[in-house]
Amino acid sequence: MIYILTGAIRSGKTTALLDWSKNKNDVDGLLCPDDANGKRYFLKLKNKTTFKLEAEAEAEAIVAIGNFKFLQSAFNEANDYLILEASKTKPQFLIIDEIGKLELKNEGLHVSTQALISQFRSKDNSHLILVVRDYLLDAVLEHYEITECSILTIEDLEHLI
């Protein structure tokens, strides 16, 4: 089953998922919170390790979108992690935070998103949760040809077992 958690920018989607997943041992994936300095990073849910997402120097390979500059190496690590964890641990819930403009251009987390959507499309006991900004929802559904999913808001998370 595919779930899509949607809401406005900065509406608390990532924080809600962090709170929802903190006492569960059947959830894995990546969240993309901000650090104390407002810089985004990836958080591996299962082992609580982190790695940088935002680039600090132009010397590294970057992916730019709007005012943000992200490390290409971070997306490579994130895609590899998501695909590997989905194949070996079989969590009940796997989270990808977030699917946005980069993924719509086949960049960012596109590789893992595309692979995992097809993998989770027909599963009943494993669920993929995609985080998507409200104004990109229709574009993401079309881009990834998602015809069957459940759309969630932050308030719906508490009802998700």
Side-chain angles (χ1 to χ4, degrees):
M1 173 83 178
I2 297 172
Y3 291 97
I4 298 180
L5 176 63
T6 191
I9 296 172
R10 313 297 265 159
S11 62
K13 299 178 295 295
T14 299
T15 302
L17 280 168
L18 191 56
D19 290 343
W20 173 79
S21 66
K22 70 181 168 193
N23 294 321
K24 297 182 182 316
N25 57 8
D26 60 352
V27 178
D28 201 357
L30 291 172
L31 290 182
C32 189
D34 294 341
D35 67 15
N37 298 318
K39 297 287 185 188
R40 293 192 180 168
Y41 64 95
F42 279 122
L43 169 66
K44 296 177 182 180
L45 282 172
K46 196 69 157 180
N47 61 19
K48 305 296 188 235
T49 60
T50 63
F51 56 102
K52 285 176 33 172
L53 174 56
E54 283 197 54
E56 295 177 15
E58 293 289 338
E60 303 174 69
I62 62 166
V63 178
I65 189 86
N67 294 328
F68 295 98
K69 293 181 176 134
F70 300 116
L71 297 167
Q72 180 60 52
S73 60
F75 286 122
N76 295 343
E77 182 176 346
N79 281 307
D80 291 347
Y81 176 78
L82 289 164
I83 291 169
L84 180 64
E85 291 307 304
S87 70
K88 72 177 186 181
T89 61
K90 306 295 183 216
Q92 184 173 351
F93 294 96
L94 186 71
I95 299 171
I96 303 177
D97 181 15
E98 84 182 65
I99 309 308
K101 291 179 182 180
L102 284 175
E103 290 71 25
L104 292 173
K105 294 173 22 179
N106 298 336
E107 297 179 86
L109 298 173
H110 171 74
V111 170
S112 57
T113 301
Q114 187 171 41
L116 295 174
I117 284 172
S118 59
Q119 183 178 332
F120 280 79
R121 197 179 299 265
S122 60
K123 290 190 175 186
D124 292 328
N125 59 350
S126 293
H127 310 286
L128 181 63
I129 300 176
L130 305 174
V131 179
V132 179
R133 293 176 179 178
D134 54 1
Y135 71 92
L136 293 175
L137 180 59
D138 291 337
V140 168
L141 291 172
E142 182 178 331
H143 185 77
Y144 289 103
E145 300 176 357
I146 301 171
T147 55
E148 294 183 32
C149 67
S150 183
I151 307 297
L152 304 173
T153 63
I154 291 170
E155 293 77 22
D156 297 325
L157 276 179
E158 64 188 54
H159 305 295
L160 208 57
I161 296 173

